[in-house]
Amino acid sequence: MMAPAATALGFELRILVEGEDVSAVSAVPNAPVGDYKDLAALLEFSQGLDVMTFDHEHVPAEHLHELIAAGVNVQPGPDALINAQDKLVMRAAIDRLELPNPEWASVDDVEALIAFGDKTGWPVVLKTPRGGYDGKGVRIVGSADEAAETADWFEAMSPLLAEAKVEFSRELSALVARTPDGDSRAWPVVHTIQVDGVCDEVIAPAQDIPLEVAAAAEDAALRIANELGVTGVMAVELFETPGSGSGFLINELAMRPHNTGHWTQDGSVTSQFEQHLRAVLNLPLGATDVLGSVVVMKNFLGGENTDLFSAYPAALAAEPAAKVHCYGKSVRPGRKIGHVNLVGASVADVDGLRERASTVANIIRNGRPSGTATGLPMPSGLTEENA
Ligand code: ADP
């Protein structure tokens, strides 16, 4: 998704890929295969680059320090990135900045987890500090008795992060970008809807959010970016907690274009992908205004339909205004394989907009609706046979 933005600006994008079958290969011709955990591969890949950046956070920090020592321009740098790689480091940084954290502790074993739960109240959320994504590495522990069942997690990794289970009204995301020179910009705070720990839908901007909460969340994200020296795009995931002091608590940081920012591809003057390129290249940042009044992004995960294109005639006919982004990944149940963006003219119709975006995503995910072959009229020129 970075490729169209790079092409438009005339930048050459080169991607280090894990294998020739990864979907990025079809979008970026210059895609050497190599292991991002292998320093030699990283050093070879970095030859001749103006800047090296990331689409995930798992490149080891010690390798990034080596790359910098070898003269590579790494953005964001390892001292910022560590806060997105390690949730214990991130919690300590948020405390240092005196921004609103849930109650948390670093716990070494089951006994420490029980002591934390007895102090803050059960249930408790137990997290692996590193390597988690889409809710993998997050476990709800209901009671001291249940805590005994987490011994396997402590055997695999210790310490772990324990957090009080937050009673939130909804989840939010504050997306910002910052350049190495310190120029920064924010998009409006969005509402993110998670299903089973996976981002399912985003509504931009978050509807009916108190102005002071939106402003404080945006300020917090910009402060984190400035104080931690973040460069490129960063998403700050938040829990909205009406009635608490700030109205929100910080969940976690992602330092790269993020699923909660995909709406910007069609719904903002500057997409997060273009902004990331501008930011890491230390260029002036683009405007972050919303196009239209409200934008909905709906993910589609792997489902029944394994031949996505067979559903396109029905899906695209259902909603001509929808913008479909398909990642070219093989379909596996529950895997994120694409999303739909839909820009609305009026906030009064946000429910209708969500329904329309879901209709398109569900047709692609599940194949043709039952009933008639497609359940929807064929666009002109297409018959059931050639659809
Ligand atoms: P990941 O790194 O896998 O995205 P997160 O830390 O964002 O993991 O947690 C995944 C989801 O679990 C969150 O989106 C939220 O719905 C829920 N969650 C995480 N931490 C808490 C918490 N302290 N209280 C309540 N729910 C939580």
Side-chain angles (χ1 to χ4, degrees):
M1 287 187 272
M2 197 82 80
T7 305
L9 287 165
F11 300 148
E12 186 199 341
L13 202 58
R14 195 186 301 171
I15 306 192
L16 182 68
V17 293
E18 286 158 67
E20 263 155 28
D21 56 343
V22 307
S23 56
V25 171
S26 62
V28 181
N30 195 340
V33 174
D35 182 354
Y36 62 83
K37 295 189 279 318
D38 173 2
L39 179 59
L42 290 168
L43 281 165
E44 195 189 329
F45 175 76
S46 69
Q47 299 301 310
L49 294 182
D50 292 301
V51 62
M52 183 191 271
T53 188
F54 316 96
D55 69 356
H56 64 64
E57 285 122 352
H58 308 309
V59 182
E62 61 271 23
H63 290 359
L64 300 179
H65 284 291
E66 293 281 350
L67 288 164
I68 292 167
V72 181
N73 179 15
V74 176
Q75 304 291 344
D79 296 338
L81 198 65
I82 189 73
N83 294 281
Q85 293 176 321
D86 189 314
K87 290 177 181 175
L88 283 167
V89 174
M90 177 273 295
R91 284 277 170 247
I94 300 300
D95 271 355
R96 238 181 9 257
L97 297 179
E98 297 182 354
L99 289 168
N101 250 340
E103 276 191 89
W104 68 280
S106 169
V107 287
D108 290 325
D109 49 30
V110 170
E111 288 69 42
L113 176 63
I114 292 175
F116 177 78
D118 286 344
K119 189 179 100 203
T120 58
W122 300 92
V124 158
V125 182
L126 186 65
K127 299 185 178 182
T128 54
R130 287 172 178 256
Y133 69 97
D134 283 352
K136 296 173 184 65
V138 174
R139 177 164 172 172
I140 305 218
V141 184
S143 63
D145 284 345
E146 257 183 49
E149 294 161 22
T150 63
D152 57 330
W153 272 33
F154 286 101
E155 269 159 39
M157 201 186 285
S158 179
L160 298 175
L161 169 62
E163 293 177 1
K165 184 162 182 294
V166 176
E167 293 303 323
F168 54 82
S169 54
R170 60 181 162 178
E171 294 188 63
L172 304 170
S173 174
L175 193 73
V176 298
R178 182 176 175 276
T179 68
D181 279 354
D183 183 20
S184 60
R185 282 192 189 240
W187 284 270
V189 172
V190 302
H191 173 189
T192 75
I193 298 160
Q194 322 282 323
V195 175
D196 299 331
V198 181
C199 176
D200 180 59
E201 201 182 348
V202 169
I203 302 167
Q207 301 295 291
D208 304 320
I209 185 170
L211 281 180
E212 65 280 8
V213 174
E218 194 175 304
D219 281 355
L222 289 170
R223 239 190 100 213
I224 293 168
N226 280 321
E227 305 262 345
L228 301 183
V230 177
T231 53
V233 164
M234 174 177 66
V236 180
E237 295 180 35
L238 308 157
F239 299 125
E240 189 179 28
T241 51
S244 74
S246 54
F248 65 87
L249 297 171
I250 289 166
N251 178 23
E252 67 167 343
L253 313 180
M255 290 182 200
R256 54 182 162 77
H258 189 245
N259 197 171
T260 63
H262 286 353
W263 67 274
T264 60
Q265 288 172 301
D266 303 294
S268 173
V269 173
T270 308
S271 83
Q272 62 168 348
F273 297 100
E274 176 178 344
Q275 198 78 305
H276 188 74
L277 291 172
R278 289 178 180 232
V280 297
L281 284 160
N282 210 16
L283 290 166
L285 297 176
T288 51
D289 308 64
V290 180
L291 302 172
S293 297
V294 59
V295 187
V296 168
M297 190 276 328
K298 172 79 180 176
N299 272 341
F300 48 93
L301 310 187
E304 282 167 32
N305 182 22
T306 51
D307 176 11
L308 300 182
F309 297 135
S310 69
Y312 271 28
L316 303 185
E319 188 49 69
K323 309 309 287 183
V324 173
H325 298 264
C326 193
Y327 308 157
K329 291 184 175 175
S330 56
V331 176
R332 279 203 305 266
R335 185 185 201 191
K336 283 179 185 164
I337 50 174
H339 65 272
V340 174
N341 283 335
L342 195 55
V343 177
S346 159
V347 292
D349 190 33
V350 67
D351 292 339
L353 203 65
R354 292 178 64 187
E355 217 175 289
R356 285 157 57 203
S358 288
T359 298
V360 179
N362 288 336
I363 294 173
I364 298 174
R365 181 189 169 140
N366 299 326
R368 295 168 173 180
S370 53
T372 59
T374 63
L376 288 159
M378 283 286 128
S380 59
L382 281 176
T383 64
E384 289 298 334
E385 279 65 46
N386 69 12

